Amino acid sequence: MTKPIYIHGSGSISIQPTHEPGYRFEAVKAYAQNPVPACDPDYKSLIPALQLRRMNKSMRMAIFASRLALQEAGKETVDAVITGTGLGCLSDSERFVETVLANEHELLNPTPFIQSTHNMAAAAIALSLGCKGYNMTYVNNASAFASALLDAGIYLAEHPDHTVLLGGVDELGARTPRFWELAGYLKHDNPVIPTPLAASSSPGEIAAEGASFFVASQQPTSQTLGKVIAGDTCYETADAVAFVNRFLRRYGLAAGDIDAVVLGYNGDIRYDAVYSTVGSTLFAALPHIGFKHIFGEYDTVAGAALHLALRLLGQQDIPQQLLLNGIRPRSLRRILIYTQRRGTNHGLILVEKEG
């Protein structure tokens, strides 16, 4: 990312009531199940009922979250839509495959197939806004949101007077979690949200869903929530500490220049050690903030982490539910987000308070 991008509006749907105005992450919804569906808002308040009937879950979440972001930014439309998704419109994908099998490849309803494509959420947003500009969807597993963020930076560098709607969305299906269970991805031992990270001694994650969208440009405004200084991603790394260090040095920073670090602990004993190593080696004196223990795990949950970081920069406080090591910040100016999933798709996002 050659230049910072400024975030003017942020909207999020998750398994927490992040869609509610003024939500500050102090009251966290608890769940004792796996997977966990999103906490649905009143979609009809922002999406016409006739349109809503034709939308799958990904489209509903994406359009609602994007309109929350636009409202906060004071915008009615944008010049480009850039999204990331791990599995796309999963429910319609499942429905189409089930119909293929049931009807033996004949007399198929094309609607689930049309709405199952990964770029359907971005297309639905563009149609709802009348945006005929650049429209791109990245499908890179747990790096999908980071890829969309990097592309937004490139686009805005080339079009400095434009505004971009950037986001990530993933939904749960009815059948796919059964395959995750067979693969050993899901947690069975005490699958609860908030996940007790300190006491976790079992493998598996708690699967969830959500959508987070942001209105971004290269120029600050009076509505600016913060700016993304940089982002980076890599599929695998043998040394996460070196990966984070290289990232900081690339932008002329040291660990001491960061005020807090957001770490993607999710309670899976097989992979959480990487966060402990990075936190204790580079950021031992800084507040450690968790987010997956309240949001669950899905491919574009990094978008929810960015939404959280922007809110924390605004309120200049870290709720007790999110603080992992008990260290309170003197102030919050720079927050580093570090996440990975199942040992791969490592991602970094550096967020800074404007002004």
Side-chain angles (χ1 to χ4, degrees):
M1 191 175 293
T2 56
K3 292 184 178 180
I5 62 173
Y6 295 86
I7 309 295
H8 314 297
S10 174
S12 181
I13 293 175
S14 68
I15 66 174
Q16 302 299 333
T18 46
H19 60 274
E20 295 180 355
Y23 180 66
R24 295 172 60 89
F25 298 94
E26 292 169 341
V28 174
K29 287 178 69 71
Y31 300 88
Q33 63 187 89
N34 193 8
V36 182
C39 182
D40 287 325
D42 178 14
Y43 289 108
K44 294 190 295 296
S45 65
L46 293 180
I47 305 173
L50 286 177
Q51 295 179 24
L52 198 59
R53 289 178 59 246
R54 299 181 179 91
M55 293 179 184
N56 56 39
K57 187 69 176 287
S58 287
M59 294 162 65
R60 293 181 179 199
M61 292 193 297
I63 289 178
F64 194 92
S66 65
R67 291 193 175 174
L68 288 178
L70 287 163
Q71 282 183 350
E72 187 170 36
K75 293 279 187 179
E76 293 185 359
T77 189
V78 292
D79 300 292
V81 179
I82 304 175
T83 66
T85 183
L87 294 172
C89 301
L90 189 57
S91 296
D92 274 309
S93 298
E94 292 180 349
R95 190 176 299 116
F96 179 72
V97 172
E98 288 171 355
T99 306
V100 169
L101 295 174
N103 294 353
E104 298 181 348
H105 302 260
E106 297 180 357
L107 302 173
L108 300 177
N109 178 0
T111 303
F113 173 74
I114 294 168
Q115 294 195 163
S116 69
T117 56
H118 288 68
N119 63 347
M120 195 63 208
I125 291 171
L127 284 170
S128 72
L129 297 177
C131 175
K132 299 178 182 179
Y134 182 73
N135 192 297
M136 182 62 68
T137 297
Y138 287 87
V139 187
N140 306 56
N141 296 322
S143 292
F145 179 76
S147 298
L149 177 65
L150 292 171
D151 189 30
I154 294 170
Y155 177 88
L156 289 172
E158 296 174 347
H159 307 85
D161 57 335
H162 283 198
T163 301
V164 168
L165 186 63
L166 158 74
V169 59
D170 275 295
E171 69 174 34
L172 290 168
R175 293 188 177 273
T176 304
R178 301 180 191 178
F179 298 115
W180 295 341
E181 188 170 355
L182 290 172
Y185 294 160
L186 300 186
K187 184 179 287 293
H188 295 284
D189 178 23
N190 193 30
V192 296
I193 295 284
T195 306
L197 298 174
S200 179
S201 60
S202 62
E205 62 195 30
I206 298 178
E209 62 184 356
S212 298
F213 279 79
F214 311 89
V215 175
S217 73
Q218 257 202 356
Q219 306 298 327
T221 70
S222 58
Q223 282 86 16
T224 299
L225 304 176
K227 56 186 176 183
V228 177
I229 300 297
D232 196 11
T233 183
C234 72
Y235 180 69
E236 288 183 317
T237 178
D239 189 343
V241 173
F243 170 60
V244 177
N245 251 331
R246 283 195 301 271
F247 173 80
L248 293 175
R249 287 201 302 269
R250 191 181 311 143
Y251 295 95
L253 298 171
D257 297 317
I258 308 299
D259 299 301
V261 58
V262 177
L263 299 169
Y265 287 95
N266 68 0
D268 191 331
I269 194 173
R270 296 170 296 185
Y271 307 113
D272 274 357
V274 66
Y275 300 117
S276 301
T277 301
V278 169
S280 61
T281 304
L282 295 177
F283 307 112
L286 300 184
H288 295 180
I289 302 168
F291 68 101
K292 291 181 183 178
H293 69 300
I294 64 165
F295 287 131
E297 180 72 271
Y298 54 96
D299 282 328
T300 51
V301 72
L306 177 56
H307 174 81
L308 168 65
L310 291 167
R311 292 295 184 253
L312 296 182
L313 288 175
Q315 65 196 46
Q316 287 292 299
D317 186 35
I318 304 173
Q320 191 61 41
Q321 293 274 20
L322 306 179
L323 197 58
L324 302 182
N325 62 351
I327 299 175
R328 289 281 175 186
R330 286 174 292 184
S331 65
L332 288 173
R333 182 165 176 262
R334 288 196 190 102
I335 296 178
L336 179 67
I337 300 167
Y338 171 50
T339 183
Q340 51 84 30
R341 191 175 191 191
R342 301 174 195 148
T344 60
N345 292 299
H346 299 255
L348 293 164
I349 303 173
L350 181 59
V351 194
E352 185 175 296
K353 183 177 174 61
E354 170 59 9

